[in-house]
């Protein structure tokens, strides 16, 4: 019920907004239309008066005022009244008996000049209409005459009033049509949104396989549905990763816990015998393995929850690599080839040491005889490379190995205490330093791990 009320509220607001906008636009348009119409009609009346006064002036200039009244009465339209005045202001000819007694205006232009005036009702004509007055000066045989044309504008204004009435009657009908059309179109536009809402409401957290319907309209609603499906894909992938993470973490912790439990079963009867030495060493190793696993899990949990806590300072990346080179050469199992150039970055020394240690341990586990380490500045970034001559990583697994608890079949030995979290931690540390880490095949059939980090500003 609430959702229907909200949906109806959206439709009501949309419809009301559409009606208000259309009403405002129609009111403005109608005002402009009426103004332009009135000006056009008045201009037409003025042009007609100008033409008429020019005709009268030509007639007077050619033949004088003899028999002029008859000519005016026959040729003047009903909406106009024409007078001809002499230089004393007396009416010498008129188109209507109503205009024979007094002049219609006091305008007295010079010969050839034209003057205009707009007056309201003219009592001398016994008429309450508005008139437009046009007067023109004429000279005939030394006498100055004035031709006056009074054109009624009542018809024009009546036309404007009629159009206004029609508009006032049509406005409500048109607004009702607009309101109904907006209501129907808004409902039709919101129907896919309601289907999306209903489908999303039915998706349970335990089953994220459902997807919302995508309309075949290629509009904003279709893009919204596609975006929600992409979000659901990410949620489903995150849920699957979380479940796999919990299962893998449980599996990894089960083995050392089982070893510790078995050791506790036999520790009491052999606490003073030779078996105690072996158990002590075994349990110490398993405890260290669990400690490292828990620390790694805690580190990744912090990376998921927020950015890794960083203590940034100037770090000589080549010094950290040199430390690992010394440790590898002291072990003596592998040949170490170094190409280390001075490189300084800004970052967390402890985290960067952990990144290098994880890469070196992975390379040492995979290598047959040789490990190559190098640092350099290239294309404006710091580059760290760790290469081994092992069996390499298949192309389809080079991205997957960065997932948590992923270990390839060739490196699933437990001797090193590996849990499949090393490369995941490397990736998180690189991201925290705004860098990248990639795995590519080496020329020696092994793998090259390349880390790029931004250089400090000059």
């Amino acid at each position: 019920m609430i959702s229907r009320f909200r949906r109806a509220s959206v439709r009501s607001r949309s419809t009301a907004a559409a009606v208000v906008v259309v009403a405002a636009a129609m009111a403005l348009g109608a005002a402009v239309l009426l103004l332009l119409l009135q000006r056009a009609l008045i201009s037409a009346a003025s042009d007609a008066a100008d033409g008429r006064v020019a005709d009268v002036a030509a007639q007077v200039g050619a033949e004088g005022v003899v028999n002029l009244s008859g000519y005016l009465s026959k040729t003047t339209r009903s909406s106009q009244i024409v007078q001809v005045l002499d230089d004393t202001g007396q009416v010498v000819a008129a188109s209507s008996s109503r205009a024979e007694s007094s002049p219609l205006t006091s305008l007295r232009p010079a010969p050839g000049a034209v003057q205009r005036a707009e007056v309201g009702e003219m009592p001398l004509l016994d008429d309450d209409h508005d008139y437009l007055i046009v007067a023109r000066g004429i000279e005939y045989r030394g006498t100055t005459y004035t031709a006056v044309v009074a054109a009624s504008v009542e018809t024009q204004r009546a036309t404007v009033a009629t159009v206004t009435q029609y508009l006032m009657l049509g406005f409500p009908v048109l607004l009702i049509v607009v309101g109904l059309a907006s209501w129907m179109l808004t409902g039709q536009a919101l129907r896919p949104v309601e289907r999306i809402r209903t489908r999303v409401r039915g998706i349970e957290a335990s089953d994220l396989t459902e997807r919302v319907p995508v309309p075949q309209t290629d509009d904003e609603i279709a893009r919204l549905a596609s975006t929600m499906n992409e979000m659901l894909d990410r949620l489903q992938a995150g849920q699957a990763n979380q479940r796999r993470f919990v299962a893998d973490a449980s599996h990894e912790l089960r083995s050392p816990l089982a070893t510790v439990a078995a050791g506790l079963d036999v520790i009491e009867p052999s606490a003073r015998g030779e078996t105690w030495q072996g158990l002590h060493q075994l349990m110490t190793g398993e405890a260290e393995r669990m400690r490292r696993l828990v620390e790694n899990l805690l580190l990744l949990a912090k990376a998921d929850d927020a950015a890794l806590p960083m203590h940034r300072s100037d770090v000589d990346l080549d010094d950290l690599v040199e430390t690992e080179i010394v440790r590898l050469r002291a072990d003596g199992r592998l040949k170490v080839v170094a190409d280390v150039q001075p490189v300084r970055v800004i970052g967390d020394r402890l985290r960067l040491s952990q990144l290098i240690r994880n890469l070196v341990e992975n390379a040492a586990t995979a290598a047959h005889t040789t490990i190559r380490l190098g640092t350099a500045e290239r294309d404006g970034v710091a580059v760290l490379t760790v290469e081994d001559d092992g069996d390499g990583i298949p192309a389809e697994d080079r991205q997957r190995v960065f997932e948590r608890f992923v270990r390839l079949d060739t490196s699933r030995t437990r001797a090193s205490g590996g849990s499949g979290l090393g490369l995941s931690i490397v990736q998180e540390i690189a991201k925290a330093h705004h860098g990248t880490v990639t795995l590519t095949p080496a020329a020696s059939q092994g793998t090259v791990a390349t880390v790029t980090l931004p250089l400090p500003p000059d």
Side-chain angles (χ1 to χ4, degrees), residues 29-323:
V32 173
L33 171 65
L34 293 175
L35 178 62
L36 294 178
L37 177 62
Q38 178 172 333
R39 287 188 176 181
L41 294 175
I42 297 298
S43 177
S46 177
D47 292 342
D50 288 341
R52 182 57 179 159
V53 79
D55 293 341
V56 174
Q59 179 69 22
V60 173
E63 300 180 4
V65 296
V66 178
N67 300 323
L68 183 61
S69 295
Y71 167 77
L72 294 178
S73 63
K74 293 179 181 180
T75 58
T76 302
R77 64 182 64 179
S78 60
S79 61
Q80 294 177 343
I81 298 177
V82 180
Q83 281 184 339
V84 177
L85 311 176
D86 59 15
D87 52 1
T88 63
Q90 297 297 319
V91 179
V92 296
S95 63
S96 173
S97 58
R98 295 185 301 168
E100 292 178 350
S101 58
S102 301
L104 297 177
T105 179
S106 61
L107 297 177
R108 298 293 184 271
V114 177
Q115 294 181 352
R116 306 171 188 277
E118 184 173 353
V119 298
E121 58 185 61
M122 302 178 68
L124 61 94
L125 296 179
D126 192 22
D127 200 340
D128 59 357
H129 295 169
D130 292 337
Y131 282 86
L132 177 68
I133 304 295
V134 178
R136 181 166 183 156
I138 313 162
E139 184 175 358
Y140 178 75
R141 294 183 180 181
T143 304
T144 301
Y145 296 94
T146 302
V148 178
V149 175
S152 173
V153 295
E154 180 63 21
T155 302
Q156 288 75 10
R157 294 187 176 177
T159 301
V160 174
T162 303
V163 173
T164 303
Q165 292 177 358
Y166 284 136
L167 290 176
M168 295 298 293
L169 292 176
F171 268 14
V173 177
L174 185 57
L175 291 179
I176 292 174
V177 172
V178 170
L180 292 177
S182 300
W183 180 269
M184 296 175 62
L185 292 175
T186 304
Q188 184 177 1
L190 291 177
R191 195 171 296 116
V193 177
E194 176 61 17
R195 288 197 295 266
I196 294 173
R197 187 198 66 81
T198 304
R199 182 66 61 85
V200 171
R201 185 178 182 181
I203 296 176
E204 300 291 340
S206 58
D207 183 11
L208 296 177
T209 59
E210 293 288 335
R211 294 296 180 267
V212 300
V214 180
Q216 302 296 324
T217 53
D218 193 23
D219 55 5
E220 290 80 1
I221 296 179
R223 290 192 288 272
L224 171 64
S226 300
T227 303
M228 294 193 68
N229 284 336
E230 293 173 1
M231 180 190 67
L232 290 172
D233 290 338
R234 293 193 296 270
L235 290 176
Q236 185 180 11
Q239 185 186 64
N241 291 334
Q242 183 181 20
R243 289 175 177 174
R244 185 169 60 250
F245 180 84
V246 173
D248 291 340
S250 301
H251 176 74
E252 292 294 333
L253 290 171
R254 184 184 303 166
S255 178
L257 288 175
T259 303
V260 172
L264 292 175
D265 290 339
V266 299
I267 192 172
E268 184 175 359
S270 60
R272 297 184 181 276
E274 295 180 357
T275 309
W276 165 249
Q277 300 297 329
L279 286 174
H280 180 272
Q281 184 178 2
L282 175 63
M283 294 177 66
T284 301
E286 293 299 315
E288 176 64 18
R289 181 179 166 193
M290 284 193 295
R291 183 190 67 79
R292 293 181 59 185
L293 178 60
V294 171
E295 287 180 353
N296 290 338
L297 289 174
L298 180 60
L299 177 65
L300 293 174
K302 290 180 180 179
D304 289 340
D305 184 55
L308 288 175
M310 305 287 290
H311 301 282
R312 297 184 182 273
S313 61
D314 290 340
V315 179
D316 292 323
L317 200 63
D318 53 300
D319 290 346
L320 302 182
V321 174
E322 289 286 356
T323 301

